[in-house]
């Protein structure tokens, strides 16, 4: 089933909004380290490779698609331990 143009615009806006909620790369690393999690732990929780998490933490790449939501959820949960 194809999306209507309005729905597509709203979905895009929602994805971009969630991406803006991500902390800056250095803070992502700090949250992970303070919580005592490894990059591999994060990668497994989000469903990506460890190197991908490393790139996100260095600011070389940004999560996209479903990974934005998963990564944001992990970071938010880890902040409770940090």
């Amino acid at each position: 089933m194809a999306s209507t143009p309005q729905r597509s615009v709203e979905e895009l806006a929602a994805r971009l909004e969630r991406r803006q909620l991500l902390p800056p790369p250095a803070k992502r690393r700090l949250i992970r380290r303070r919580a005592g999690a490894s990059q591999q732990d994060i990668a497994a929780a989000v469903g990506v490779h460890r190197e991908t998490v490393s790139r996100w933490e260095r600011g070389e790449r940004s999560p996209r698609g479903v990974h934005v939501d998963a990564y944001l959820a992990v970071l938010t949960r880890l902040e409770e331990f940090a």
Side-chain angles (χ1 to χ4, degrees):
M1 175 180 209
S3 296
T4 63
Q6 183 61 34
R7 183 174 175 193
S8 296
V9 169
E10 292 304 318
E11 290 170 354
L12 173 62
R15 279 195 313 270
L16 294 173
E17 205 170 72
R18 287 190 301 274
R19 192 186 254 174
Q20 289 179 347
L21 293 174
L22 285 170
K27 184 162 184 187
R28 298 172 196 174
R29 180 182 307 118
L30 184 63
I31 291 168
R32 176 184 58 77
R33 286 181 174 171
R34 285 186 176 169
S38 68
Q39 288 179 339
Q40 184 59 46
D41 294 332
I42 304 302
V46 176
V48 297
H49 293 280
R50 185 210 56 81
E51 183 58 31
T52 300
V53 174
S54 177
R55 288 182 182 121
W56 292 345
E57 289 184 354
R58 291 191 312 260
E60 293 175 3
R61 301 266 193 227
S62 293
R64 295 179 177 212
V66 297
H67 298 126
V68 174
D69 293 333
Y71 190 42
L72 184 57
V74 169
L75 290 176
T76 300
R77 184 75 168 105
L78 289 182
E79 277 190 299
E80 296 174 14
F81 298 103

